[in-house]
Amino acid sequence: MSILEVRKLTKQFGGLTALADISFQVKEGEIHGLIGPNGAGKSTLFKNIAGFYTPTKGEIIYQGKKIAGKPPHVIAKMGIVRTFQETTLFQEMTVFENVLVGCFAKSRINLFSSILGLDKQLQKIAREKVLEVLEFIGLSNRKNQLASELPLGSQRALAISIALASEPKLMLMDEPFAGMNMEETKHMMDLTRKVQESGITIVLVEHDMKAVMGLCHFLTVLNFGHLLAEGTPEEIRHNEQVIEAYLGGAK
Amino acid sequence: MELILQSIINGLIQGGFFALFAVGLVLIFGVMGVVNFAHGELVMVGAYTVWLLHAQNGIPFIPVILIAIILVTVIGLLMERFLFRPTCNDPLAGLICSIGILFILQVLATVVGGDGPSKQVPPPYQGTLILFDFLRVPYQRVFSFFVSAAGLGTLWYFLTRTKLGWALRAVALDREASALQGININRISMIAIGVGGALAGLAGALMAPLTNINPHMGHNVIITAFIVTIVGGVGSLSGAVIAAVIYALFHTFITVYFGGVIATICGLLLMVVVLIIKPTGIMGVRVSE
Amino acid sequence: MKIIIRLLKIIAVIIFLAGLIVLPHYLKFHYQDLLIFLTVNVLVVASYRIVTLTGEWSLIHAVMMGVGAYTAALLFKNFNLAIWFTLPLAGGMAGLIAALLSFPLFRMTQFYFLIGSFAAGEAIRLTWMQFIVPFGGSGGLSGIEPPMIGSIDFMDPIPYYYLALGVVSACLFILYRIEKSRIGLTLHAVHWKAPLAQSVGVDTWRYRALAFIIGSFFVGIAGALKIHYLGTITPNQFGIGFMVFILIWVIVGGYNTIFGPVIGVVVLTIFDESVRGFGELRPAIYGGVLIISILFLPLGLESIYTKFLTLCGIGGNSSDGPPP
């Protein structure tokens, strides 16, 4: 069963084609890797799926609905949440408040109940949810610290917590291992697996081959905006074209 | 018909002034990321210089123009060194500082010129150029037009034909990348505000014999500069020049038929419409996400 | 220790409130006037803060105050409506105009928004200048009277001060509640990282517009409150000059918490009075203070208080989201 399907997606900037005719499917419940040399168009593809870009041509189908061109918050409300390449957090807020934003993100704006304090029930549920998420991710002991004070590994974990709090069905993770050391990477891999086991489908853009090969059930390889290969990690490892693309890029 | 031709000529002359100060604003914003709210006051200082030295003390017009340019350039450089450079990480702080300067310069003008009614400078060049029976342009306006055109021409040459000009445009396009390439940002910022200040001083000096001079004349200048900048495209110098001419014609015609306030309202609405339809302006490019 | 501090705080608040109530009785007429305008200006800066919460600095706030003021003036002159009705209607009108303007304005951000809001505001203000009917042109309107209830004449500064104090306190309380609610939290989030907020489902456009509408609503009330006391209204009262003063109050006071702008307006009003003797030099002194405070006190006057608390070891979190 595929949760996400990209059909003949093309994205052009001016005369430059960043993505050409990309098609692939993501199976529900899997960790799906999206790899390729620098400038292959992975991040652009992510931004198209999450609604930050509008595709020039093609369709993106999520749970049977066309989503291409919808604004980011609408796509997020449908259950697709992305995390960012850089550590993007609400730096000036505490860990708890960061996750709380994720909880409230989808709830309707009700000015009067907010002023009069009639949303106590909602508040209580949200606070419990935050504690639950922090417990799940393992950040409970840091909940009152400012986000900017956290070490890199915890910041990435917090980014995932914010995403989790908004109850996604599909999570787009943009280079979650970038800049991490061995130990942090291992911890992050465990966390990613834990998220997947809780029933959330994950699409992962990553450079760290070891992490990708260890985590992903299925891989899509891009090169210069074109689809190069698809398959299980085992198949990709032995794919001549892929090896050439990577070696060619290294020259 | 006569009215239309006359308005076109007047519009073109106005366009020259508009271009002079709008280009300076664009240059300063492009290179330093600061909205210089005191830009209108720089023009005002230029005009006051002419009033004080030429009209009051009889120093010849041409040297006074040079003095005005130098004076305003120096004010600009001081602003860069002591206000914009220390606050370069926070564009809002730069803007607020420029508002502080705006107040100080206005008060300075009041102190120098007194509070009374607006000042007039008698045109140094008397007489009228008669093109046709029905089309007459005072020599003062002819002079202003050619000097502003020459000023803009020099700027164009500087920006496109000299190494320093290239560096300036590179910084305006991408500050960080330019710094990485070894361009000295502080030096370029000083040049940008120096050039912007010189153009503002020139505009003020040239406008002096043709307009009412008072401490608050900068207000209309900055509104015009904003409109021209937005319509032309933030960061686009050629856009600013084209927009200056278009807007000057637009403003002159509406003023002739409906009055000055309506003309300014229409200009502001035009600007809002441009912001909605094409926020990058007629010549602008989207800089980055 | 904690209980003592809490008690001290409560006592301080009570003394402060009592002071506000008895204050006008010990002031000369001129200062009573000033006190009323100061009270109104507190609402102006507090409502401006809610607009800046999303990180957008608008230059239309002064004009929005004018929208409220003109609404009140026109309602009073044409329909003889009392202040009890003109206040909420003034706020409503400002909120409505803000709602309409948010469609074009919030397609822009940062620099574009700043300039766009300035342009929209000037266009509104010039419209007041251009049309003698009904706005009275650049001469404005006069003869807007404060109400009378029984024998209490609100033309007197003291009763009007109590009226203004009551209205402003109520508005401040509501603004405070909004900021501490989940809406306030989300507004902060939109400020710090709009793309991140979007990516988890926050409609940033809606929140920006909401903050703008709320801010305009309350500044509209402030405008009506001012104009009923002043009695005359002109377009120039709401020009870029006044807008600049709002910016100065907020920036010199600091805008990290709701107290910063309020401190700013109070301190600078007192300062302004104390340099009254300098006459026409006053704006320059203001300009100088502005530059000095930006260069040497970038977080505003409130940061002195925060530093003082930290020094005393009472410290506490300087972030201003709702308490967990």
Side-chain angles (χ1 to χ4, degrees), chain B residues 223-243:
Chain B
I223 292 184
T224 306
F226 279 160
I227 295 174
V228 168
T229 309
I230 294 288
V231 172
V234 179
S236 164
L237 291 168
S238 47
V241 175
I242 294 169

Side-chain angles (χ1 to χ4, degrees), chain B residues 103-264:
Chain B
F103 278 123
I104 293 173
L105 290 179
Q106 280 184 0
V107 168
L108 226 57
T110 317
V111 170
V112 170
D115 217 1
S118 292
K119 283 133 192 78
Q120 311 278 347
V121 172
Y125 301 101
Q126 301 292 339
T128 301
L129 175 69
I130 302 171
L131 285 171
F132 300 100
D133 275 351
F134 52 88
L135 192 60
R136 295 146 186 269
V137 190
Y139 280 120
Q140 185 62 44
R141 288 181 182 266
V142 177
F143 172 80
S144 299
F145 179 74
F146 282 107
V147 176
S148 14
L152 290 170
T154 314
L155 177 75
W156 178 81
Y157 181 84
F158 168 69
L159 287 175
T160 54
R161 293 284 182 274
T162 67
K163 228 176 162 183
L164 213 52
W166 278 95
L168 203 73
R169 283 163 58 202
V171 175
L173 269 179
D174 191 334
R175 203 179 159 87
E176 273 164 44
S178 309
L180 287 177
Q181 305 226 319
I183 296 177
N184 182 342
I185 300 282
N186 284 341
R187 188 161 144 249
I188 296 297
S189 296
M190 297 206 77
I191 290 168
I193 202 163
V195 172
L199 294 176
L202 177 64
L206 290 177
M207 282 161 75
L210 304 171
T211 185
N212 292 325
I213 302 172
N214 63 59
H216 303 287
M217 64 184 282
H219 186 63
N220 276 331
V221 171
I222 194 78
I223 292 184
T224 306
F226 279 160
I227 295 174
V228 168
T229 309
I230 294 288
V231 172
V234 179
S236 164
L237 291 168
S238 47
V241 175
I242 294 169
V245 176
I246 294 174
Y247 178 63
L249 291 170
F250 173 89
H251 195 270
T252 311
F253 271 98
I254 299 181
T255 307
V256 168
Y257 291 103
F258 301 99
V261 177
I262 295 275
T264 307

